[in-house]
Amino acid sequence: MGEKVKPAHALGSLEQIVEEKAKFEPTGLDGVEILPVDGFKMDFNDAEYKDQFIKRLNDRVGFLTEKQTVRGGFDKLSGEAVDSIKHIANQASKL
């Protein structure tokens, strides 16, 4: 939503996880929790955010579906992984 994740954000999150200080929070989506990062907010009440969230998940589904056949499926993930992402996108669309 205009703000890019910087290396410091990622490293800070990894540091919290490694040091077992990370406090993940529920998102309202089954089985999905997030680690809050200053300056970034998961807000499904924001129509633009929700739309972009669902679109990016669908992009990932397309990418993973493509990997099923590219290079003879060498890099493919299980169908369960793709189905899980579809499920999350479906849940998000109902929030």
Side-chain angles (χ1 to χ4, degrees):
M1 305 309 305
E3 179 69 24
K4 300 274 186 191
V5 175
K6 297 177 176 77
H9 295 120
L11 292 173
S13 294
L14 287 171
E15 183 177 347
Q16 288 180 53
I17 293 166
V18 168
E19 294 177 357
E20 298 181 359
K21 295 178 182 177
K23 292 184 173 78
F24 289 86
E25 298 178 355
T27 62
L29 303 169
D30 293 337
V32 179
E33 295 180 327
I34 62 166
L35 179 60
V37 175
D38 288 339
F40 296 90
K41 183 179 174 190
M42 184 177 231
D43 183 5
F44 289 113
N45 293 316
D46 179 334
E48 183 181 358
Y49 177 89
K50 181 177 172 179
D51 182 59
Q52 288 299 317
F53 182 86
I54 294 167
K55 283 180 178 177
R56 297 299 69 81
L57 286 176
N58 288 328
D59 287 347
R60 286 167 177 80
V61 167
F63 175 78
L64 294 174
T65 300
E66 185 178 293
K67 290 295 180 184
Q68 301 271 345
T69 56
V70 172
R71 295 184 349 143
F74 182 79
D75 297 315
K76 73 179 177 180
L77 293 179
S78 71
E80 184 178 295
V82 175
D83 290 344
S84 293
I85 296 171
K86 287 179 183 177
H87 179 69
I88 293 167
N90 187 43
Q91 286 183 72
S93 70
K94 295 178 182 176
L95 292 177

